[in-house]
Amino acid sequence: MEERDILIIGAGPAGLAAAQYGARAARRTTMIEELAPGGQALTIDSIENYPGVNKTISGYELGMQFQDQAERFGAELVYATVQSVDKDEDNFVVKTTEGEYVAPTVILCTGAKHRPLGVPGEEEYKGKGVSYCATCDGPFFRNKKILVIGGGDSACTEALYLAKLTDKVTLIHRRDRFRAQQEIADRVMRDPKITVKLQHTVESIEGDGDKVDRVVLRNLGTDEVYTEEFDAVFVFVGMIPQTSLVPEAKKDDAGYIVTTCRMETSIPGLYAAGDVRDTPFRQIVTAAADGAVAAHCASEYIDELAGRAYR
Ligand code: NAP
């Protein structure tokens, strides 16, 4: 069993920032990631709001910079799937596909995954025109007719990205205004390649069995149900936090892990940072800040356990 001071599960912006701060505090710090470092940011084509990076940068590039910086200070990145997290007195035992780790602190940075819309045809046409990632699948639908669903930052930013690939993007949202940040929503409204249909929902996604070719829509204002042709449907209707590794940790009504401002969860020694925790604003910068706070407070907790707290 490998011993560490701070184990970080997930290497998105929260995990990568936590790793840097853990390593800078001279703690043996390991991130465990099953895919690639960068998290959801990996799927973002252009990031323009990360403070201090005053140029447009891809999520991949920014993630690489986070990773290089964390590793430069001595943090370790292990590629493995975490299978369980169990508390054993003052330590956590973390079982992974690449072996077991023990550490007094764990920082959960597992983020959130896309929520499905839950309409007929969505599951059947997943990968055949239904997608949850514009940068991954958008290029397959260059100059095609694309429907985007959702009213938050994701739907609006991804609609703007897709409008670079085709001039036939339709964005529908169930309410009469967007949830997205005003600046992003304004840009959508100004984009001549995006047709916005508010107060609309999807009834079903249909096709020929191999690919999407039409969507049945409902106008909530008039209750009219009608069919429109689309080649692709991009769904951005919110996120589901990834908390299954810590079923005992306290969650809010939406399933996000409840933390203090020190990123402490209801389980001593377990911290949560980034999109997995209850926070009013989910951005790369807020995830990174969460990660820094979590690592700092985890390091203080280790001192407390050792009776060396600096007061
Ligand atoms: P979100 O903010 O939760 O928005 C989800 C949207 O989907 C809402 O407008 C919601 O409608 C709609 N929706 C939910 N269920 C639906 C259903 N069954 N049918 C139709 N519409 C449905 O999720 P998000 O846009 O993925 O963003 C997640 C977090 O990441 C947010 O904190 C966001 O700020 C952040 N983010 C930031 C950026 C950026 O800063 N550039 C980019 C992407 C994401 P209602 O409004 O009616 O609830």
Side-chain angles (χ1 to χ4, degrees):
M1 193 165 332
E2 301 264 352
E3 282 184 26
R4 296 291 185 274
D5 298 315
I6 301 176
L7 281 174
I8 298 165
I9 306 178
L16 289 161
Q20 185 200 149
Y21 277 81
R24 286 168 64 95
R27 300 298 183 187
R28 295 167 299 171
T29 303
T30 293
M31 288 169 277
I32 306 170
E33 166 60 52
E34 61 184 350
L35 294 171
Q40 278 181 62
L42 278 177
T43 66
I44 302 175
D45 166 61
S46 53
I47 293 167
E48 55 190 29
N49 59 358
Y50 194 78
V53 182
N54 195 12
K55 62 172 186 163
T56 298
I57 183 171
S58 71
Y60 173 80
E61 274 178 287
L62 187 61
M64 283 293 138
Q65 293 197 19
F66 270 55
Q67 182 188 351
D68 288 349
Q69 205 175 9
E71 288 179 337
R72 184 156 60 87
F73 289 108
E76 176 192 32
L77 174 62
V78 169
Y79 289 99
T81 299
V82 174
Q83 296 163 317
S84 61
V85 176
D86 294 300
K87 185 130 199 214
D88 181 15
E89 298 190 354
D90 282 342
N91 279 309
F92 290 91
V93 176
V94 175
K95 287 193 183 138
T96 82
T97 47
E98 299 297 318
E100 281 184 27
Y101 291 83
V102 62
T105 63
V106 168
I107 306 177
L108 190 78
C109 304
T110 41
K113 69 171 188 201
H114 289 290
R115 180 190 293 149
L117 187 58
V119 297
E122 179 181 20
E123 192 58 35
E124 182 185 352
Y125 287 102
K126 206 182 271 180
K128 300 174 179 175
V130 173
S131 171
Y132 305 84
C133 176
T135 46
C136 319
D137 298 326
F140 296 119
F141 300 99
R142 208 174 275 277
N143 299 322
K144 300 280 189 187
K145 212 173 160 207
I146 294 176
L147 177 66
V148 179
I149 303 156
D153 286 336
S154 296
C156 289
T157 50
E158 300 308 307
L160 288 164
Y161 168 74
L162 291 164
K164 293 180 195 164
L165 305 175
T166 177
D167 56 5
K168 290 167 282 209
V169 175
T170 299
L171 172 59
I172 67 160
H173 178 37
R174 61 186 177 184
R175 295 211 209 186
D176 61 0
R177 63 190 168 97
F178 287 117
R179 176 185 287 278
Q181 297 167 69
Q182 196 63 50
E183 192 274 334
I184 299 173
D186 287 347
R187 255 196 285 163
V188 164
M189 296 307 278
R190 283 197 305 268
D191 195 316
K193 296 174 174 176
I194 303 176
T195 303
V196 173
K197 292 187 175 188
L198 296 172
Q199 292 190 284
H200 272 70
T201 53
V202 170
E203 294 282 300
S204 62
I205 299 168
E206 299 177 359
D208 63 5
D210 289 331
K211 57 175 178 42
V212 167
D213 56 30
R214 60 196 183 277
V215 177
V216 181
L217 298 172
R218 179 182 292 271
N219 180 335
L220 298 177
T222 61
D223 218 27
E224 180 198 1
V225 175
Y226 62 98
T227 301
E228 202 171 317
E229 286 182 7
F230 287 102
D231 301 296
V233 178
F234 286 82
V235 180
F236 300 106
V237 294
M239 312 297 290
I240 300 172
Q242 301 297 288
T243 63
S244 58
L245 287 170
V246 291
E248 278 99 41
K250 187 175 174 206
K251 324 261 178 3
D252 69 7
D253 291 345
Y256 291 94
I257 293 184
V258 173
T259 67
T260 66
C261 62
R262 298 172 61 83
M263 307 302 142
E264 297 152 321
T265 69
S266 56
I267 300 172
L270 177 70
Y271 296 76
D275 284 4
V276 75
R277 79 171 190 100
D278 61 332
T279 173
F281 201 35
R282 293 190 171 83
Q283 301 278 297
I284 297 174
V285 64
T286 57
D290 281 4
V293 172
H296 173 77
C297 296
S299 183
E300 287 190 342
Y301 173 81
I302 293 168
D303 278 342
E304 273 166 35
L305 283 181
R308 288 191 292 113
Y310 189 93
R311 298 203 192 278

